[in-house]
Amino acid sequence: MSTLVIVESPTKARTIRNYLPSDYRVEASMGHVRDLPSSADEIPPEVKGEKWAQFGVNVEADFEPLYIIPKEKEKTVKQLKDALKDADELVLATDEDREGESISWHLLQVLKPKVPIKRMVFHEITQEAIRDALKHCRTIDEQVVRAQETRRILDRLVGYTLSPLLWKKIARGLSAGRVQSVAVRLLVNRERQRLAFRQGTYWDLKATLEKEKTPFEARLITLRGIKVATGSDFDESTGQIAAGRNVVLLSEADALALQERLTGKTWTVANIEERPMTRKPAPPFTTSTLQQEANRKLGLSAKDTMRTAQSLYEQGYITYMRTDSVHLSEQAIAAARTCVEQMYGKEYLSPKARQYSTKSKGAQEAHEAIRPAGSSFRTPQDTGLKDREFRLYDLIWKRTVATQMADSRQTLISVEIQVEDAGFRSSGKRINFPGYLRAYVEGSDDPNAAIEDQEVILPPLKVGDHPKCTELEAIGHETQPPARYTEASLVKTLESEGIGRPSTYASIISTIVDRGYAQMNGNALVPTFTAFAVTGLLEKYFPDLVDTGFTSRMEQTLDDIATGEVDWLPYLQKFYLGEEGLETQVKVQESQIDATVARTIELEGIDAKIRIGKFGPYVEAENGDGVVTASIPKDLTPADINPEQVETILRQKTEGPEKLGIHPETGEPIYILLGSYGHYIQLGDAQEGSKKKPKRAGIPKNTKVEDVTLEMALGLLALPRNLGVHPATSGKIQAALGPYGPYVVHDQGKEGGKDYRSLKATDDVLTITLERALELLSQQKTGRGGGRSKTKEALRELGNHPEDGEPVNIYDGPYGPYIKHGKTNASIPEGESVEAVTLERALELLAAKASTAKSTKSSTKSSKSTTTKKSTTSQAKTTKTAASKTTTKTTATKKKTS
């Protein structure tokens, strides 16, 4: 008897094949084999004339979806049908979540098997789990399939009904999404808070005290028995002390006068309080907490985290990575406890097995948290994993093992010190027993260093002691606006609000950035002018669709459909049809929406009109000759634009660019211009009808335009600078300015390639010496997430090329993932996932690319015209950043005495 097993990806198929009997054949479906049409070309001819065909959902016939097999999946479907002909049994072993259940259902509809069918589910790919799953097969859960289908239909109806409205009223190409639009509104609302924020200023004192030659710090907290104001006492909308706060607000003069008055006076310990504290380890990872922590600690985007976790799961290293649950199986608890005892000792083991319960309301995706797979956990060092996969597995291993470790026992120490009428406080922390902190500390990759950082040791003090003041500083503070969302904090908010599901967060964030609703500024998500315009329209005319509560209730209804508590059809009918349905709302509101108003963004302090046009945002203003319009640079956002920039943009359009001076050698003028990506320098004028562009140079990001001198401009235009040769290779070393900042490069020839290093903040690309360049080049490169790497990190290693034995790998590039073999790069076609690409498929794509390149080269040669295109790709640095906090923070300036 032969059995055909179908999974989603080749990697998963290869892993599972190792644990099944020899008469089991495992094939991959490459994800979904059917879906709604994604374009008009995919709509079957027989229904193209139907009104509903554009949706891919027949709203007039009980919302019947129009499923098609995409062209790129036809070959896969044929292969699966051929494999089924030789099988006596079909086992559908797709993932255990809604998406996996839906893939299995679609496979049944397409393959129409005439042999017995089984549905096999498992949450880890180990021999024990696979064999156990074979013994406990079930049928496809139709209710779960219906819930997934309802979600797909709902998303299609919202997107395809609202997006055309946005095209008419704002700009073509825009999109609206059921969850995407809510997430964009969160970003916009945070930016509105930042724009409405008014800065407050306050001062306080910091003392450096000494007892028994041990220094410690103390801060001013009271004056004449009244609390001294801090940042939390300010009203963010006024920049003044919030109403009802009884505090002393110190000005700079007050602080300096107090500093002078207290200098040389006697300091007395008035009170000491010690309070024991116990800290428990965090629960094991769910999808959302893994995305958050990987973003904070490793600098990975949600998309990269899920891609890497998927690979780890399919290779059998971790359990299923789409889950809302923090539950651990008895097997996992036993494995974790064994690790603790063996690696840290019995004293670090929690007295009882620690189990966690899931608190999120809609938790449903799987039955266990994300953890190392198997009944015994492989240590990260024993896995053989590398780079990103190693770091993510290491994170999951540490978090899981820490759950079964003893609590951390600490003592918090608060010392109140009086000097005349001023009260100071010094806080310390003593770690009596590190417990789980020895293995895992949230937000840090080095537990030992983290423990040391957390401990604040105070000297032995008792009431009545008189510590010596060695330094007293007056420190000024300015309150800061609420922090922008990072990927980590946005994921956390989406989860806490019940918006979307963890498995969708990565695609939501990716969509927001890809479609121009947000830009990544370091680790922060910054909403664009388009985001402001779209959010404003939806808030005014379709408030429910961008309301977090409404969206959360929709998610709950979809969960209820999965459990059979709600009927899907009446829900869709109520949402879309009828007097209050979305279809009617759009028809009614369309005539009410003034397109000019919808395209206009009102910003306080900006007199000119800012609008969204066919080619992006622009400013519009009246002058003596009529209306002037000018495009806004692409990297300028609503948070950054100010009246001076608007004036510059308009002046450049009407009067031409600002002239810095004349080049001493060529006699050509040197201009400062404002372009799509910010200010830049240009040598000479563009000649009408000439294809040759004037030489241009970017201005370093941290340099203010008004600080650019003629001398600096000449230096920037002269880049790259030759610094000399490398003493070991005789290779040329240059300093230059690229899209991601200044750098030095060592040209090691054809075989060695080029070795790049970014300059540090203290380095100047115009003055850096050969000696400093050699010092930078001698340092290891810093990869994503802070790891060290000498070469670009591969997303996947597919194997070696059969012709030359050279590696064939998949890398992440600026335009998406691509396959690399030697000097040949081939893009992965749209619709194919990184995980689904096999070595055979990669060889096909590389061969096609090589053939195209030869054809192009031959054609170019015969026409005797050559065009040289140079492109430099570099990966933006990732800064490890903690999740954003909405509390007011401060920046400080100091004035001190000793």
Side-chain angles (χ1 to χ4, degrees), residues 721 723 763-769:
R721 287 174 56 225
L723 303 182
D763 295 317
D764 185 343
V765 69
L766 299 179
T767 59
I768 189 170
T769 63

Side-chain angles (χ1 to χ4, degrees), residues 84-85 87-90 108 110-117:
L84 188 58
K85 290 175 184 177
D88 301 310
E89 181 183 53
L90 174 63
L108 280 189
V110 171
L111 300 179
K112 297 180 172 57
K114 294 181 174 62
V115 296
I117 304 150

Side-chain angles (χ1 to χ4, degrees), residues 27-184:
E27 296 291 341
S29 70
M30 306 295 186
H32 274 284
V33 293
R34 290 201 311 177
D35 198 4
L36 303 177
S38 60
S39 66
D41 294 340
E42 292 186 335
I43 299 173
E46 60 269 22
V47 296
K48 255 191 176 174
E50 299 290 344
K51 180 184 173 184
W52 54 266
Q54 60 177 323
F55 292 111
V57 177
N58 191 345
V59 296
E60 299 165 1
D62 292 343
F63 294 88
E64 181 183 353
L66 173 64
Y67 289 121
I68 57 102
I69 299 173
K71 284 185 179 179
E72 64 269 16
K73 288 300 175 74
E74 289 174 357
K75 183 179 177 182
T76 300
V77 169
K78 184 180 183 304
Q79 289 171 344
L80 293 176
K81 284 182 175 180
D82 290 343
L84 188 58
K85 290 175 184 177
D86 302 324
D88 301 310
E89 181 183 53
L90 174 63
V91 175
L92 300 167
T94 53
D95 291 341
E96 61 176 333
D97 61 2
R98 288 180 189 163
E99 206 68 29
E101 203 74 13
S102 177
I103 291 172
S104 281
W105 181 79
H106 280 288
L107 284 167
L108 280 189
Q109 310 307 307
V110 171
L111 300 179
K112 297 180 172 57
K114 294 181 174 62
V115 296
I117 304 150
K118 292 180 180 177
R119 172 79 171 105
M120 183 171 82
V121 294
F122 40 85
H123 70 277
E124 63 182 1
I125 304 177
T126 61
Q127 183 170 332
E128 185 180 357
I130 297 303
R131 292 187 174 178
D132 182 66
L134 269 176
K135 295 175 186 176
H136 299 93
C137 288
R138 58 170 173 79
T139 58
I140 288 177
D141 190 327
E142 297 281 349
Q143 290 177 340
V144 171
V145 172
R146 185 60 76 184
Q148 190 278 338
E149 187 173 68
T150 304
R151 179 188 296 274
R152 186 77 179 94
I153 292 171
L154 204 59
D155 289 343
R156 175 57 68 98
L157 293 175
V158 171
Y160 278 43
T161 303
L162 285 179
S163 296
L165 181 68
L166 298 181
W167 302 345
K168 294 176 186 176
K169 302 300 181 180
I170 299 179
R172 285 201 66 81
L174 297 180
S175 68
R178 184 179 62 87
V179 179
Q180 164 199 317
S181 298
V182 181
V184 171

Side-chain angles (χ1 to χ4, degrees), residues 6 127 187 191 195 276 342 355 400 489 603 726 795 801 833:
I6 301 179
Q127 183 170 332
L187 300 183
E191 205 65 37
L195 291 169
Q342 289 177 348
Q355 187 58 274
T400 309
S489 60
L603 293 176
H726 198 288
L795 296 176
H801 199 288
S833 67

